Amino acid sequence: MPSTLLAKPNINNLLSSTAMALCSAFCPRISANFRPKPFSSSPSKPLLSLSFKVFSSQATDASSQDKFSGRVGFLGLGIMGSPMAQNLIKAGCDVIVWNRTKSKCDPLISLGAKYRSSPEEVAANCDVTFAMLADPESAIDVACGKNGAVRGMGPGKGYVDISTVDVATSKLINEHIKARGALFLEAPVSGSKKPAEDGQLIFLTAGDRSLYELVSPLLDILGKSRFYLGEVGNGAAMKLVVNMIMGSMMASFSEGILLSKKVGLDPSVLVEVVSQGAISAPMYSLKGPSMVKSQYPTAFPLKHQQKDLRLALGLAESVSQSTPIAAAANELYKVAKSYGLSDEDFSAVIEALKAKSQDTA
Ligand SMILES: NC(=O)C1=CN([C@@H]2O[C@H](COP(=O)(O)OP(=O)(O)OC[C@H]3O[C@@H](n4cnc5c(N)ncnc54)[C@H](OP(=O)(O)O)[C@@H]3O)[C@@H](O)[C@H]2O)C=CC1
Ligand SMILES: O=CC(=O)O
């Protein structure tokens, strides 16, 4: 599987490249306000040079250049979609938004976004449309359903699905978009509410390379790095593997916190010890202190983590890969959901273990 890490460029590269021109076409204020973010890669590693070459030798790519005038659509304004759309608007992009619950569009409209009343209308009025939806069902419905984005797509347009979905869903949406003569990129993100607010997401993209190159300046507003992984499905698969690991890590951390407490240790000290050793992780340092206080302010809803584990287990099943740890973790998230914790942060999975030990006490 080909994989390319493209870290953020330095300002000189950017200013001297066609990227800047393209960036400015999408978002006029970028040239004046652009401040490069730190590289995500270690400085000791050579950075692959950024290529913002928008058009490949394919004629279809060249025609898409002529028709791109730079209007950006954004469908799905939840925890992730809202700050991402906001960052595009703040960068000067001409953004049109839609969300199932219309009231979530209002703060963005007051920042300068326009509103259209269906995904179809957004896509019809935009050159590139991003979608950040809850799960496979909503991603398919918003793209392919009645008044879905597909109906507004056509040659010269692009659809970028940044929702976390399974491979089959991504391929299905790709087929529908392609049938309209448009381009498709899957681009799920790693990183949660705060990275979304700070423009520090990691994009795991796959699909039409020319669309990837075209939207790279937009991805660079929203994120700190981006991977291009080849064929449609590879981005979804990578995201599911990452979140499978994350879900298991959080379940294991929860067990450790509760065990430390039960044997008379201070779980806050455990969090500190973990943060200094080989198993330290930003996630533990960020969530550990609130978990010790039984607080779970929602950044990544527990229901989405369970969805990702479920989809990752399906992915593993499709290639007969054994994943017993993820399977056990998934069961725990299901228990947590049954306790009404779906909309809490996924760190609330610890409550399922507490309830379990009370049940057996
Ligand atoms: N939160 C996080 O930390 C991260 C989340 N993700 C992934 O990003 C995606 C979005 O996550 P997040 O923003 O947290 O989720 P939210 O639950 O906050 O938002 C979900 C969005 O999907 C919309 N939606 C849900 N069902 C439907 C439907 N049937 N039809 C139309 N729209 C629908 C919601 O609309 P409405 O407002 O009307 O409910 C909302 O805009 C998920 O796939 C998630 O797994 C990826 C990385 C990090
Ligand atoms: O999908 C969740 C994340 O934090 O990444």
Side-chain angles (χ1 to χ4, degrees):
M1 178 191 298
S3 132
T4 313
L5 165 60
L6 295 171
K8 280 191 184 278
N10 69 35
I11 187 71
N12 292 331
N13 286 349
L14 256 183
L15 289 171
S16 63
S17 71
T18 44
M20 214 53 214
L22 187 69
C23 217
S24 305
F26 268 111
C27 307
R29 270 182 261 143
I30 289 174
S31 323
N33 296 341
F34 182 81
R35 296 285 178 277
K37 291 172 191 159
F39 292 133
S40 59
S41 309
S42 142
S44 60
K45 287 188 193 157
L47 290 169
L48 294 175
S49 66
L50 257 185
S51 167
F52 284 99
K53 188 169 154 288
V54 179
F55 311 107
S56 75
S57 52
Q58 294 168 347
T60 48
D61 297 335
S63 65
S64 67
Q65 177 189 31
D66 296 336
K67 290 175 186 161
F68 270 92
S69 63
R71 198 174 278 163
V72 184
F74 211 104
L75 310 172
L77 301 171
I79 291 170
M80 297 297 284
S82 290
M84 292 174 81
Q86 192 168 327
N87 282 339
L88 292 172
I89 297 164
K90 284 182 176 166
C93 299
D94 189 0
V95 178
I96 302 183
V97 294
W98 172 86
N99 191 63
R100 179 181 62 174
T101 307
K102 202 245 164 187
S103 58
K104 290 190 191 169
C105 297
D106 295 342
L108 295 153
I109 294 168
S110 60
L111 284 175
K114 295 180 191 74
Y115 169 78
R116 290 286 182 282
S117 60
S118 70
E120 177 182 355
E121 282 189 51
V122 171
N125 285 283
C126 290
D127 305 293
V128 170
T129 300
F130 285 81
M132 187 46 144
L133 299 153
D135 50 25
E137 293 73 25
S138 53
I140 291 172
D141 199 37
V142 168
C144 312
K146 188 169 175 264
N147 303 321
V150 164
R151 299 171 70 91
M153 299 300 297
K157 290 177 183 282
Y159 192 73
V160 184
D161 197 333
I162 48 181
S163 326
T164 304
V165 298
D166 56 319
V167 173
T169 295
S170 204
K171 287 186 172 170
L172 179 77
I173 295 173
N174 173 53
E175 279 167 23
H176 282 261
I177 297 288
K178 285 298 174 43
R180 305 288 295 195
L183 300 175
F184 178 77
L185 190 73
E186 60 176 4
V189 296
S190 196
S192 196
K193 185 180 174 190
K194 182 80 168 52
E197 289 166 354
D198 295 346
Q200 293 289 310
L201 295 167
I202 301 163
F203 284 92
L204 309 171
T205 77
D208 284 308
R209 176 97 202 188
S210 56
L211 181 57
Y212 167 72
E213 289 169 351
L214 186 62
V215 300
S216 286
L218 300 177
L219 303 186
D220 289 343
I221 292 167
L222 303 171
K224 66 177 179 184
S225 64
R226 46 188 160 84
F227 293 77
Y228 179 76
L229 302 166
E231 285 178 14
V232 172
N234 289 346
M238 180 67 85
K239 175 61 183 166
L240 293 179
V241 173
V242 170
N243 274 29
M244 181 187 83
I245 297 170
M246 187 169 82
S248 300
M249 280 175 67
M250 181 54 83
S252 180
F253 187 52
S254 298
E255 287 180 342
I257 288 177
L258 293 179
L259 177 60
S260 70
K261 202 169 171 189
K262 254 196 178 151
V263 297
L265 298 170
D266 180 347
S268 300
V269 176
L270 170 77
V271 172
E272 177 65 21
V273 171
V274 166
S275 78
Q276 293 188 24
I279 62 163
S280 74
M283 178 176 89
Y284 295 152
S285 299
L286 186 71
K287 313 245 180 206
S290 5
M291 289 170 74
V292 168
K293 289 188 240 159
S294 303
Q295 291 169 358
Y296 316 105
T298 309
F300 182 38
L302 187 141
K303 64 186 176 195
H304 292 335
Q305 175 62 82
Q306 195 274 321
K307 174 254 305 178
D308 293 351
L309 277 164
R310 173 172 60 81
L311 298 177
L313 292 174
L315 180 68
E317 178 75 29
S318 73
V319 290
S320 302
Q321 173 62 48
S322 180
T323 48
I325 294 172
N330 185 43
E331 291 305 314
L332 207 53
Y333 286 94
K334 281 161 66 182
V335 171
K337 272 174 66 175
S338 76
Y339 287 128
L341 299 168
S342 286
D343 292 318
E344 300 290 316
D345 189 71
F346 77 119
S347 50
V349 71
I350 192 173
E351 292 294 329
L353 287 164
K354 286 185 196 170
K356 223 176 184 176
S357 44
Q358 277 157 18
D359 286 350
T360 53

